[in-house]
Every structure is written in structure tokens, then in C-alpha cells.
Amino acid sequence: MLKKISKVLVVAITISILILLLPEKGVADYPIFSQRFTADPTAVVYNGRLYVYCSHDSDATPNQSTYNIPDITCISTDDLKNWTDHGEVFNAKRDSQWASVSWAPSIVYRNNKFYLYYGNGGNGIGVAVSDSPTGPFKDPLPRALVTMNTPGVQPAQNMWLFDPGVFVDDDGQAYMYFGGNGQNNIRVIKLGNDMISTVGSAMSMSAPRFFEAAFMHKYNGKYYFTYASDFSQGASKIEYMMSDKPTTGFQYKGVLLPQPPDNYSNNNHHTVVEFKGNWYVVYHNRTVAKQRGLDPVYQRNVCIDQMFYNADGTIKQVVPTVDGLKQLKYVNPYTKNLAVTIHKESGIETEECSEGGRNVSFIENGDWIQVKGVDFGSSGATSFEARVASNTNGGNIEIRLDSPTGKLVGTCKVEGTGGWQTWTTKTCTISGATGVHDVFFRFTGGSGYLFNFSWWKFNTDAEPTPPPTSTPTPTPTTPPLPSPVPVTERSAFSKIEVEEFNDIKSSTMQKIGTAGGGSGIGYIGSGDYLVYKNIDFGNGANNFKALVATTQTTTNIELRLGSPTGTLAGTLKVASTGGFNAYEEQSCSINKVTGKQDLYLVFSGAVNIDWFTFGKDSGTIIVGDANGDGKVNSTDITAIKRHLLRVTPLQEENLANADVNGDGNVNSTDLSLLVRYILGEIDAFPI
């Protein structure tokens, strides 16, 4: 493979005294993966991880004159910053009985299996199946699933038969949307329950300026058909339509994602996915090829940004951000971590590992990998171990903090092991690694390839934290209970994942996977309860909402304060959803609750629950009025500055007013927009 060289150029720009007071932004979220060229993403959530599958733009021929997509690459994350490389999980020539290439996949988890749909160029659509999200995927059919001879596909004018977008509705019916090259060249066909057969004829759809990348998702009962537009109005964009039905009645609503930076006004392809309570759009641009001085047309890389809905169900136009996503959890350095779980890299490749999974390979002097947000704790690390192999004289792993040339806390010497897959574990001492840091593993040595790197782990002399005494210890014959999380203040008006409780009373509860690919709590019995401490209700909550599933008709969730028999704030009388995997949002009104409270969810019977949140009567919002004086002026700039510097945090309506871009957070972006508004550079906020 072509060796990859990535360089990061940091340009310091002085903008204003106000912005200088704020935290500095980092490098862009794109590319999120750079050791292979990737495009046309699709995604599925499984067991708390987000898996993204991509067309693999081969780099075997630099500056090639057409697309070369022999296989499909899979990457995954649980924190949105560090991505695990699972390799090429499907290769058409190897894993299909009929296809030669695999373009623009679509992934669905159903029937305890993963179904990966793909295009054989523009000449037919196939399906590959696996029991695991990371493969191996195999096509069970000796032919394409959809061809030009499939009923309903014709007549079409020069239709491209590719870009499948598979969607499973709440009633269990699966649909495949596909087509390209013309606004009337969209088809949708029902899939059988086995997910490898079609039912009936394909139906026609139409969308303004439709070009390719058909995709469907559902939110709050509405159907969203999103697609890549043609070039009739300049660069291709991701646009969308809405309907109350999955195949008819769509109305055009506008642009979801404009032409992203570094995409050279070229094509795009996207997917929309919900992960841990938020919505994201994954797409591609051509940053990596640009950085490497290659022709960027046919070698692309994946990107991700958060997506937000308006109150009327329409979608706020996504703005590609610079380091716009928050890291959802810190990396625990005291467990084994795969070396192929990376935030950024320079120079490395990956390959299949004889001990399972993949390893970092083709390492040369000066190469490095970055792991973002590693929490060493207050006691810190005292030693480091790495699983390595070398068919040469080896080299060194320098462990540095916060940059490739940052603080050196240890150096692990790697000697030859007699083979590139002959593995051994090397150790070294560590000094000065405490708190949260980005960790850079910088590789040094002689010329040529140095060694391969499979996993790493830090160790500490600190005593392990004992389990909470308030959590019952299950006997070997009972299922393990989920573990409580540390007590932190949480807003009642945020989406609270039910498994993030602080205490529990049950002998049967388990953490479970939920239908959307997330996680929740199940096996709940009468009298069981969950405790959420230090929940901030502010000036008052008036209603409660939860995502639940049950077959029962008499199950209640009591909301009590202070204890399992404390003040009853309200009761959600859970209606049957028709199944323990059929999740619905259900809500109830409650007596007004204010201030900080310990919340108890007390259950009267069997129900599965994914998340919950509280709401309140809406007040008057004046966008930009951060100090609540009814005006938008320079005093509001001061109020937001003091909030960001944690001098005087904003509360309630003032906090909502300060969120001038409507993304649910108050940060430096809001401050910058407010400054521009007051200076007259913009005449409205993007909300």
C-alpha cells in the first residue's frame, strides 16, 4: 500500500479580545479516519458502539481516473473521537458469488444478524450477511437482489442501479430505496422478513434535483427522505423531503448539508443516525487526498457532524464544524486498549492480526498515533505495557502527552521478535502521567519498518476502588446487575440514559440492548427502583417523558423524591407497546418539582426503559438576551463570557436565550455569533 503521511498545520489567528478569553479550538473533526480512503458511509448502533461502513477507495493507484472500490471498510467508536479500525469486512470478489465490486453500502441489524446491502457498480444491488457487526460478511445469493429486470424498476431513463438505503419501519416492514441519475429515477421496494428477498414491485418516487445517495430515516412519526442533489444549482448538496408515509406524500423541505469544505464541489453521500440520544449525519469530503497532494476526485474520507431538528420537525441545516463534537467518555488507560483505536495518525497502516482483530503496521521512524481524552486519574500511571512484534531490530514507543513532541512520560524499547506476527509484551516505567490528556505514541528507530503494535495498557500502584456497598451482590444463579455511575449534578431537562443510575434495588434487573441499537434496563420486577441523585429541576418541571417497551397493561412508574416512599411527583401509567422490543415515547404530567432532588423511579411491574427526561411550561425566549433584561446588546456579551468562564453560570430562560444557534449548548460559537449580530455583520441568528 501507499504509505500515508499526515501533517497538521496549526495557524494562530488573533480575532478579538473577547474570543481570546475562550478555550482554543482544535483540529477539524474531519477526517475521522485516515489510514484508508473511505466514502459513502452507512451506520448502525450496536451494544453501545456506533459502527460506520464505507466504500473503500483503493489507494493502490494514486491519481487514478475512476473509482476503484473493491471492498467495504468498517470503523466504530463509543466516544465519537477515537475510532477502531475493523478492516475490510466485505470484498465482493472474495465474498460474493456474482459481484465484482461493492459500492455505497447500507447496513441493517435484524433477526440477530447484520445485513449489508451494496451496489455492484451501477449494475445491480446485492446483500451480504453476518452474525457480527465486524464480519465476515457473505452474500448468500447466487445473483443480485435487485436488477433492471426487477418488477417496477423500468421504465427509467439511464437509471443508475446502486446506492441502496434500507429502512425498517416501526411495524417491522423493511424498505429499500435506490437509484440515481435523475429526479424520477428513485425506486423503493419492500423487503421480505428474511431481508434477502423482495416483495412485490418497486414503486417510483421523485425528488427535486435527485442525483444519488437515497436514504430514509424516521423521527417523531415523520419520514425523512434525504439524498444528494445534482449540480444544476452549483455544487451537490444533501437535501431532504418529509412525509407522513414511507413511500408517498413527500414535500421538499430544503438543504440538510451544504457542500462541505475540501470536497471540490464534487459528489457526496451520507447517512443519518441516532447515537446516545443525539442525531448525527455522516458524510464524506476529500481532505486526506488534498493533504497528500493527490487528485482528490476519486479518493475520499468520512466526516461526522451533529444534526438538530426544529420544533416543527424540519431539520436545521448542518454546518461542518471544527472539532464540533464532544468526546462522550474518557478512555480508561488501565484496561487493554487496541492500538488500532485512534483519533489521529501519521504514517501508519493497519493489517489483520494473528491474535485476532487488527494491528498497527508499516511503522517507520517518526510515525505516530494519537488517542484522545485518556483519564489517568489523580494517582497516575506507573508503568506501561505493549503487545508488539518485529521482524527487524525493532525500535521505541515514546509515550508523550498532548502532542507528538509533548511531555515524554516513558519510552518502551521494542526488540526483534523473529516475525511480524510473532508477538510479545514489552513494558516500561511511566512518570508524570496524571489527569486527562491526549496520548501520543511516537515511534522511533532506524530505517525501514520497525515493528507492529497490537494493544497497550497502563498500570497504577493505586488501590482499586471497592464496589459501592449499596449495590447488592448477586449470587451465581442470578443475572449480574448493571453498575452504578458516580454521582454528578444533572439537569432534569436533559435526556438521561436510564442505565446511568446512582443506586439500585433489584435482584433481577439487567442492562439490555434496545431496539435502536442503544442500551437500557430490563428484567424489572414489582417494587424495584432506580435512583438518580442530585437532579437539578431548576425553577420547575411539569411533565415527564420516557422511552419504554412492555406487553403489560397495568405497569406504573412512580416518580418519587428523596426515597422510594417519598413525595410522589407523578405516575407514568405505561400503556402496552405490543412487545418488549417495541419502544415508544410515553409521557405524563407531574406536580411541579423545583430545585435539586434525588429522584426515585419505582416500578410496579415488567417494563423495559431506555431513557427519560422532564419538561416544563415554555417561557418567553428572546434570542440573544442572555441577561434577561428584554434587550440584546453588549451586556449580553458579558453575561455569556461570565457563563463560559464559570464566573456566573446562566440559568433557565437566560440559558435558553443565550443558545443563539439552537444546538442545545452555550459555547464560544454562540458568543461569536452574538458579537457579529451586535456589530451588524449578521442580521439574524441561525435558529
Side-chain angles (χ1 to χ4, degrees), residues 170 515 547-550 575-586 608:
D170 298 336
L547 186 64
V548 294
T550 186
S576 173
T577 64
F580 283 104
N581 284 315
Y583 284 81
E584 294 180 0
E585 291 185 11
Q586 298 190 19
N608 291 353

Side-chain angles (χ1 to χ4, degrees), residues 47 510-514 518-523 580-581 583 608-609:
N47 281 352
Q510 293 185 51
K511 183 177 179 180
I512 59 172
T514 57
S519 56
I521 296 292
Y523 300 95
F580 283 104
N581 284 315
Y583 284 81
N608 291 353
I609 180 169

Side-chain angles (χ1 to χ4, degrees), residues 133-445:
T134 57
F137 285 86
K138 299 289 183 181
D139 192 329
L141 303 177
R143 61 191 180 280
L145 177 62
V146 173
T147 71
M148 282 296 183
N149 295 321
T150 298
V153 172
Q154 295 284 11
Q157 298 297 317
N158 301 315
M159 180 178 178
W160 296 335
L161 194 58
F162 67 172
D163 285 9
V166 178
F167 164 73
V168 181
D169 207 348
D170 298 336
D171 62 1
Q173 179 60 60
Y175 301 85
M176 179 192 291
Y177 303 79
F178 59 93
N181 194 29
Q183 70 175 15
N184 296 312
N185 285 350
I186 309 169
R187 297 292 185 270
V188 53
I189 193 167
K190 291 183 178 180
L191 298 179
N193 290 333
D194 62 2
M195 302 301 287
I196 61 172
S197 63
T198 59
V199 178
S201 297
M203 297 166 277
S204 295
M205 289 176 53
S206 179
R209 298 176 298 282
F210 174 78
F211 187 62
E212 57 188 1
F215 186 77
M216 177 69 71
H217 77 278
K218 191 175 185 180
Y219 173 76
N220 280 356
K222 298 290 185 182
Y223 297 86
Y224 296 76
F225 181 75
T226 53
Y227 59 94
S229 64
D230 61 24
F231 301 87
S232 61
Q233 296 185 358
S236 177
K237 310 174 185 68
I238 303 300
E239 304 187 31
Y240 76 106
M241 305 190 300
M242 290 175 60
S243 178
D244 294 325
K245 299 178 181 179
T247 60
T248 61
F250 284 92
Q251 295 184 350
Y252 179 78
K253 294 297 181 180
V255 175
L256 185 156
L257 176 73
Q259 176 75 188
D262 293 343
N263 203 41
Y264 295 88
S265 299
N266 216 300
N267 75 334
N268 211 329
H269 193 120
H270 69 294
T271 193
V272 175
V273 63
E274 183 182 15
F275 182 56
K276 296 186 181 295
N278 292 315
W279 287 87
Y280 300 90
V281 59
V282 193
Y283 55 98
H284 66 238
N285 69 3
R286 289 157 165 84
T287 295
V288 174
K290 175 186 176 182
Q291 290 173 344
R292 294 172 186 166
L294 301 175
D295 185 334
V297 175
Y298 300 109
Q299 293 175 323
R300 301 158 292 178
N301 55 266
V302 285
C303 318
I304 184 171
D305 267 293
Q306 193 167 350
M307 190 180 82
F308 301 92
Y309 296 90
N310 295 306
D312 63 357
T314 56
I315 303 174
K316 295 179 184 291
Q317 184 168 302
V318 175
V319 179
T321 60
V322 176
D323 200 23
L325 299 185
K326 294 180 180 179
Q327 185 166 354
L328 300 184
K329 55 181 286 191
Y330 291 135
V331 175
N332 179 1
Y334 304 119
T335 62
K336 285 184 180 179
N337 289 273
L338 297 177
V340 294
T341 300
I342 297 169
H343 177 63
K344 302 290 181 188
E345 57 80 25
S346 176
I348 61 93
E349 300 278 359
T350 70
E351 64 184 11
E352 289 188 17
C353 179
S354 63
E355 296 186 330
R358 295 180 75 79
N359 59 260
V360 175
S361 58
F362 297 96
I363 295 171
E364 294 181 287
N365 181 54
D367 292 351
W368 52 261
I369 59 178
Q370 175 190 6
V371 183
K372 190 171 184 64
V374 179
D375 188 358
F376 291 100
S378 58
S379 298
T382 55
S383 65
F384 171 78
E385 53 188 295
R387 191 71 168 167
V388 293
S390 177
N391 199 39
T392 61
N393 293 326
N396 301 296
I397 304 175
E398 294 182 353
I399 301 102
R400 294 182 177 272
L401 304 183
D402 302 321
S403 81
T405 57
K407 179 181 178 181
L408 180 66
V409 296
T411 300
C412 185
K413 182 175 177 56
V414 179
E415 299 167 332
T417 65
W420 293 115
Q421 293 293 319
T422 303
W423 296 95
T424 189
T425 302
K426 295 293 184 179
T427 63
C428 68
T429 59
I430 296 293
S431 177
T434 60
V436 178
H437 295 275
D438 289 359
V439 172
F440 285 77
F441 297 114
R442 185 172 183 269
F443 310 116
T444 61

Side-chain angles (χ1 to χ4, degrees), residues 491-493 535-541 592-596 616 651-652:
S491 170
F493 308 107
I535 302 299
D536 188 2
F537 290 86
N539 292 335
K592 187 174 184 180
V593 180
T594 62
K596 295 177 182 177
K616 58 185 176 179
Q651 302 293 329
E652 298 298 323

Side-chain angles (χ1 to χ4, degrees), residues 308 659 661-666:
F308 301 92
D659 179 20
N661 67 348
D663 66 356
N665 300 296
V666 176

Side-chain angles (χ1 to χ4, degrees), residues 113-116 127-131 136-140 194 196:
K113 294 182 181 295
F114 296 86
Y115 297 89
L116 189 67
V127 57
V129 186
S130 176
D131 294 326
F137 285 86
K138 299 289 183 181
D139 192 329
D194 62 2
I196 61 172

